[in-house]
Amino acid sequence: MQRFSEDLHQIIPLLADIPMRWDGKSCVLEMKERNFQWRQMEWWAFYFELLCRDRLSSVLRMPGDRYNSVQWDATGRINWDFKSKAIKTDTNSFILNDQEAMNASVETHGEHGLIVCLCDVEYNDKDRTFQRWREELAGGRSAYQQQREKRTSNSRYRKVLAVPVELVFMRFDAASLSRLGTMRQGRTSNGKPRPVKYSVNLEQCTDLIAHVERIGEPLE
């Protein structure tokens, strides 16, 4: 656990000043100006990654090491992933990274680190104003969106605001990986099934949480 702990000791104070309110339009425009993942539907998750890049570059190398098609968000003494999860949902589970890649990461370093930003979120209005604004900004629907719409008639409401509530730092080793769930998440942009990924339930795996940093309050 020494490598994880050494990275963690440096990371925690550098994330103490992250913004407390992420407005969708402002964040997307900032990401567009910086040419960083601004077209992504889950913009708020990538905005957290951008905040981590800005604040942790002095102690972690970003992007991190690569394993086949998977590139870790950061690498220090071990590899790290940055994730975001909305609170007040029906499930405490969320998807991690490629199963084969995480196995290789733990085999190489003995440990794998994860930072989860738990956020309260606000969704688009019934007229989907924010969604239409984003489509206009991007010059229309992407080919991936069009292909997805052919496969399903469902169109999720977009998140327009995110408020970070907690930062959860998790540590994985070979024993803990064997306890995780697995799932296959949708398709790639070329329509092929994505590789199997690990998933974790925060309520069922509390012993894997090394540290929790309270940073804000949920929306009323």
Side-chain angles (χ1 to χ4, degrees):
M1 192 169 177
Q2 182 176 354
R3 292 181 178 183
F4 173 89
S5 298
E6 289 175 354
D7 276 354
L8 185 65
H9 179 73
Q10 293 184 301
I11 289 170
I12 290 174
L14 295 176
L15 294 179
D17 68 336
I18 65 172
M20 292 292 96
R21 192 176 179 89
W22 306 345
D23 171 72
K25 286 188 177 181
S26 298
C27 292
V28 169
L29 289 174
E30 178 184 348
M31 294 163 72
K32 184 176 186 294
E33 182 178 354
R34 299 179 63 179
N35 194 31
F36 183 80
Q37 302 288 4
W38 64 274
R39 295 177 182 270
Q40 298 287 348
M41 183 173 71
E42 299 294 350
W43 60 267
W44 61 295
F46 289 94
Y47 188 68
F48 176 60
E49 182 180 340
L50 184 61
L51 293 175
C52 288
R53 286 192 176 207
D54 288 344
R55 286 156 176 77
L56 301 180
S57 59
S58 61
V59 296
L60 301 177
R61 173 167 46 81
M62 294 179 281
D65 291 342
R66 178 179 289 277
Y67 177 82
N68 291 337
S69 62
V70 175
Q71 185 161 40
W72 306 115
D73 291 330
T75 299
R77 294 162 182 83
I78 63 173
N79 295 315
W80 288 85
D81 274 324
F82 309 140
K83 300 287 184 183
S84 297
K85 184 184 186 309
I87 63 174
K88 300 178 182 177
T89 63
D90 295 334
T91 176
N92 287 298
S93 296
F94 61 98
I95 300 168
L96 301 177
N97 217 319
D98 180 284
Q99 180 184 31
E100 185 177 305
M102 286 189 68
N103 290 345
S105 178
V106 167
E107 184 177 348
T108 300
H109 299 290
E111 304 168 288
H112 186 87
L114 172 68
I115 306 174
V116 186
C117 186
L118 298 180
C119 295
D120 200 358
V121 298
E122 184 177 296
Y123 290 88
N124 206 1
D125 58 75
K126 65 179 181 180
D127 295 325
R128 302 180 185 268
T129 306
F130 179 68
Q131 183 175 340
R132 293 203 310 271
W133 173 82
R134 290 205 59 194
E135 289 174 355
E136 291 174 3
L137 185 69
R141 289 183 175 87
S142 67
Y144 174 70
Q145 287 176 306
Q146 294 175 26
Q147 291 172 4
R148 185 177 184 277
E149 289 170 359
K150 289 180 181 178
R151 295 193 298 268
T152 175
S153 59
N154 296 327
S155 178
R156 289 179 288 170
Y157 279 94
R158 308 301 197 258
K159 299 172 182 72
V160 300
L161 175 70
V163 174
V165 176
E166 288 182 342
L167 293 176
V168 177
F169 300 84
M170 303 187 73
R171 173 187 175 273
F172 301 98
D173 58 16
S176 58
L177 289 182
S178 67
R179 296 167 48 196
L180 300 181
T182 59
M183 69 177 301
R184 194 183 295 274
Q185 185 189 27
R187 298 172 180 269
T188 63
S189 58
N190 60 12
K192 293 183 178 180
R194 295 182 186 277
V196 175
K197 294 186 176 183
Y198 278 121
S199 65
V200 64
N201 185 301
L202 289 178
E203 283 193 344
Q204 296 175 2
C205 297
T206 55
D207 57 312
L208 304 184
I209 298 175
H211 181 77
V212 176
E213 193 79 8
R214 184 79 179 188
I215 54 176
E217 297 296 330
L219 295 165
E220 294 183 358

